[in-house]
Amino acid sequence: MIGDAGSYRETRILPATERRLALADTIFVLNGPNLNLLGLREPEIYGTDTLDDIAGMLEDRARELGLEIEMRQSNHEGHLIDWLHEAQAVGARAVLLNAGGFTHASIALHDAIKSIRTPVIEVHLSNPLAREAFRHISYVGRAAKGTVAGFGANSYILALEAAARL
């Protein structure tokens, strides 16, 4: 997983055409602010699984589906935007995006999603519509192909299964 803190994977840089072929069966999984604290932060809302736990579950399910995942996390909006652009540039099959608090505030993420052809599936551990009123607005959801929310860590698996069918 690539992120602001935690574990990092070495990545070999491939020529552009080779990258497109290599990543055609890759799903980018992008995670926004505070998701590096999963397992510690409000477990009654977000559960006890860490982001690394979710990455492991996704890798196992992706392998069963003949896919690979590229898991990343950042607390910085610009990184998420750059990674959305990268997903398009390298020919990723889809993006699963849990934008965290940026979901409800980032027109820049909305515009980045609209600017790429790669399908984006919005993911949330909790159900934002069952929470505070300010969470009922999703700029990400307005641009995404679909949304999976409210199923805890399983939201990511359900979104991955949807992406596999695109």
Side-chain angles (χ1 to χ4, degrees):
M1 181 175 68
I2 298 173
D4 293 333
S7 56
Y8 292 83
R9 265 192 289 206
E10 289 287 324
T11 313
R12 183 170 69 95
I13 305 299
L14 301 173
T17 53
E18 194 176 337
R19 276 196 314 258
R20 281 188 199 92
L21 292 174
L23 295 180
D25 290 325
T26 298
I27 309 293
F28 275 43
V29 183
L30 306 181
N31 296 279
N34 300 312
L35 292 168
N36 56 308
L37 299 177
L38 284 179
L40 302 172
R41 178 184 175 223
E42 299 178 277
E44 67 281 1
I45 295 173
Y46 302 110
T48 57
D49 290 313
T50 67
L51 203 54
D52 282 339
D53 294 336
I54 292 169
M57 290 185 273
L58 282 169
E59 287 171 352
D60 291 345
R61 184 64 181 128
R63 196 170 18 274
E64 293 168 0
L65 294 168
L67 299 170
E68 292 186 23
I69 64 159
E70 178 66 31
M71 185 87 160
R72 301 179 183 184
Q73 186 278 328
S74 179
N75 291 320
H76 305 284
E77 182 180 38
H79 292 165
L80 297 170
I81 292 167
D82 289 343
W83 293 338
L84 287 165
H85 296 169
E86 180 185 345
Q88 167 79 24
V90 300
R93 178 181 288 206
V95 174
L96 309 185
L97 174 60
N98 183 342
F102 290 141
T103 298
H104 321 290
S106 180
I107 294 169
L109 276 175
H110 170 277
D111 290 351
I113 294 165
K114 297 289 278 186
S115 73
I116 63 173
R117 291 181 309 280
T118 306
V120 175
I121 300 173
E122 179 184 35
V123 179
H124 294 288
L125 295 161
S126 67
N127 179 354
L129 296 176
R131 297 187 58 202
E132 304 93 338
F134 70 86
R135 296 185 193 277
H136 298 180
I137 295 170
S138 173
Y139 292 107
V140 168
R142 291 178 183 186
K145 182 159 186 73
T147 300
V148 179
F151 299 99
N154 201 41
S155 292
Y156 284 88
I157 300 298
L158 295 169
L160 178 65
E161 290 172 350
R165 290 173 176 79
L166 295 177

